[in-house]
């Protein structure tokens, strides 16, 4: 079945360093959503990308949707301890209409 | 606060038992989703309802069933529980379908002993 692969699974960074997580789908996506789950919390919606090549920014976070609409990335500039958590991408399959979550990237930030 | 309410917050039960998890979606949201999250695992999609009807099915076991009622709240029933069913169960809701953002509840932590 369709899969959405997310890498890396874990990332430890020093506060102030940059961080990137990548999301790849085996099939074309209609859109991609990103969520953040703090430790002990529930996933919280961050953003949705719809257009091929789309780039959106939220303060220090930059989200990109690939030209082929099969991959996406989330980049955090100058990480802070408040960025700690697990970041999930979720791709909406063009074929099945199902929203498939990646396995998530867990970010640890050392102060 | 996402506006999605899940009860109970914690549930501890024995193998072979049956439990019911309840979810009230955000006001105005028609779709309800159920996800299972095991320790250090991602979000496994179980099932989606839209306005009372089943819309999509994921990796939901035959021992599990769900429904969405006319008032749009939803229940997830887990029966013949096994140790491996221990997990965090999230309910999410959205305005319409998966084209709109999902809003997750705080989850129900199920422990099967």
């Amino acid at each position: 079945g369709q899969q959405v692969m997310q890498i890396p699974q874990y990332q430890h960074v020093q506060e102030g360093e940059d961080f990137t997580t990548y999301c790849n789908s085996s099939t074309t996506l209609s859109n991609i959503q990103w969520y953040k789950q703090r430790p002990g919390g529930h996933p919280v919606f961050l953003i949705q990308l719809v257009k091929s090549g789309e780039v959106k920014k939220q303060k220090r976070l930059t989200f990109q949707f690939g030209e082929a609409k099969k991959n996406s990335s989330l980049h955090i500039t100058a990480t802070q301890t408040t960025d700690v958590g697990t970041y999930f991408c979720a791709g909406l399959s063009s074929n099945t209409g199902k929203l498939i979550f990646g396995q998530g990237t867990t970010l640890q930030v050392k102060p | 606060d996402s506006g999605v309410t899940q009860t109970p917050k914690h549930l501890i039960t024995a193998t072979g038992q049956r439990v019911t998890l309840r979810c009230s979606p955000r006001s105005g949201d028609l779709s309800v989703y159920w996800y299972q999250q095991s320790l250090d695992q991602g979000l496994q999609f179980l099932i989606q309802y839209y306005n009372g009807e089943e819309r999509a099915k994921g990796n939901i076991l035959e021992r599990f069933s769900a429904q969405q009622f006319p008032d749009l709240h939803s229940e997830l029933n887990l029966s013949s529980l096994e140790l491996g069913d221990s997990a965090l169960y999230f309910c999410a809701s959205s305005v319409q379908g998966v084209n709109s953002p999902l809003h997750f509840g705080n989850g129900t932590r199920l422990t099967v002993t």
Side-chain angles (χ1 to χ4, degrees):
Chain A
Q2 184 197 4
Q3 286 189 322
V4 172
M5 306 301 293
Q6 199 173 345
I7 57 170
Q9 190 174 358
Y10 298 99
Q11 184 84 57
H12 295 254
V13 300
Q14 198 71 39
E15 190 172 22
E17 292 182 339
D18 292 357
F19 159 77
T20 305
T21 173
Y22 300 91
C23 197
N24 293 288
S25 169
S26 54
T27 59
T28 304
L29 303 170
S30 298
N31 68 46
I32 193 149
Q33 300 171 13
W34 285 91
Y35 293 80
K36 177 183 178 181
Q37 184 177 18
R38 293 182 186 273
H42 59 273
V44 175
F45 173 77
L46 295 177
I47 209 160
Q48 177 172 287
L49 304 171
V50 179
K51 298 177 186 175
S52 167
E54 189 169 12
V55 178
K56 285 189 177 180
K57 291 191 175 185
Q58 287 180 351
K59 297 182 181 178
R60 295 177 294 104
L61 277 60
T62 301
F63 303 84
Q64 291 189 348
F65 199 9
E67 294 290 341
K69 300 185 76 173
K70 286 186 174 183
N71 57 73
S72 180
S73 65
L74 157 59
H75 180 83
I76 302 179
T77 303
T79 54
Q80 299 175 358
T81 54
T82 53
D83 295 325
V84 164
T86 300
Y87 293 85
F88 292 97
C89 64
L92 178 60
S93 168
S94 301
N95 298 335
T96 65
K98 288 185 180 179
L99 188 67
I100 311 291
F101 275 80
Q103 286 299 99
T105 296
T106 299
L107 172 64
Q108 296 279 7
V109 179
K110 299 175 200 173
Chain B
D1 182 15
S2 67
V4 178
T5 304
Q6 283 188 253
T7 56
K9 197 171 181 178
H10 300 280
L11 204 47
I12 302 174
T13 189
T15 53
Q17 295 298 305
R18 171 189 167 96
V19 296
T20 298
L21 281 52
R22 184 187 166 98
C23 170
S24 293
R26 280 192 333 161
S27 176
D29 285 0
L30 298 177
S31 277
V32 168
Y33 311 77
W34 287 97
Y35 286 87
Q36 180 192 57
Q37 186 174 46
S38 302
L39 196 63
D40 291 335
Q41 293 295 310
L43 293 156
Q44 299 298 316
F45 170 63
L46 297 178
I47 199 163
Q48 178 201 354
Y49 283 86
Y50 176 80
N51 204 20
E53 294 192 2
E54 183 183 304
R55 176 61 67 91
K57 238 177 181 177
N59 300 323
I60 187 166
L61 300 172
E62 284 192 12
R63 300 183 286 109
F64 296 0
S65 65
Q67 54 184 329
Q68 186 180 28
F69 295 88
D71 67 352
L72 300 179
H73 91 270
S74 178
E75 291 181 355
L76 178 66
N77 300 296
L78 314 175
S79 61
S80 303
L81 285 168
E82 302 174 359
L83 295 177
D85 297 328
S86 295
L88 193 51
Y89 290 84
F90 284 110
C91 168
S93 70
S94 67
V95 173
Q96 293 187 343
V98 288
N99 268 315
S100 43
L102 270 57
H103 300 272
F104 285 80
N106 289 330
T108 293
R109 168 77 63 188
L110 173 66
T111 303
V112 182
T113 61

